[in-house]
Amino acid sequence: MRWANVTAPLTCTRCGVTWMAGDPAITLPCRGCDAEPGQPCRRWAGGNENVCAQRDRDAQQAGLLKECEALTWDGRHSKPLRLWASSVGGTVPDAIRTGTPVARFAA
């Protein structure tokens, strides 16, 4: 689970376009991970994006998003996920859930 504010202003880190009401793609359901409209994508493998690539493509087709004018191979905006730390409570005191993937290699 991610603790994300999907309605906060968001800026593409590549081209600098800003969406004051949050990512327009969030208003659509995600066909990539089945997230409901208004909910962040459920990227089980981690990552730092608000939405799956499929949701971005659907938003572009619906006219909610234009292609990023910066040099990107797929035309997608770089929209970093804004995580809001929240205490899990109950199991581990002061633990934070961030959606970060589990390390694949042991040190």
Side-chain angles (χ1 to χ4, degrees), residues 2 26 30 33 35 39-43 49-52 55:
R2 292 176 182 265
I26 296 292
C30 183
C33 69
Q39 299 296 316
C41 286
R42 297 181 215 110
R43 295 174 52 89
E49 296 179 293
N50 276 328
V51 298
C52 294
R55 202 177 211 177

Side-chain angles (χ1 to χ4, degrees), residues 57-101:
R57 285 192 290 273
D58 289 347
Q60 286 176 351
Q61 289 176 354
L64 298 174
L65 282 177
K66 294 182 180 179
E67 285 194 10
C68 184
E69 294 180 3
L71 296 174
T72 63
W73 65 271
D74 61 356
R76 291 181 67 205
H77 291 277
S78 177
K79 302 177 284 187
L81 181 62
R82 294 178 181 221
L83 297 176
W84 299 90
S86 293
S87 185
V88 175
T91 55
V92 180
D94 300 323
I96 304 294
R97 287 190 182 188
T98 64
T100 304

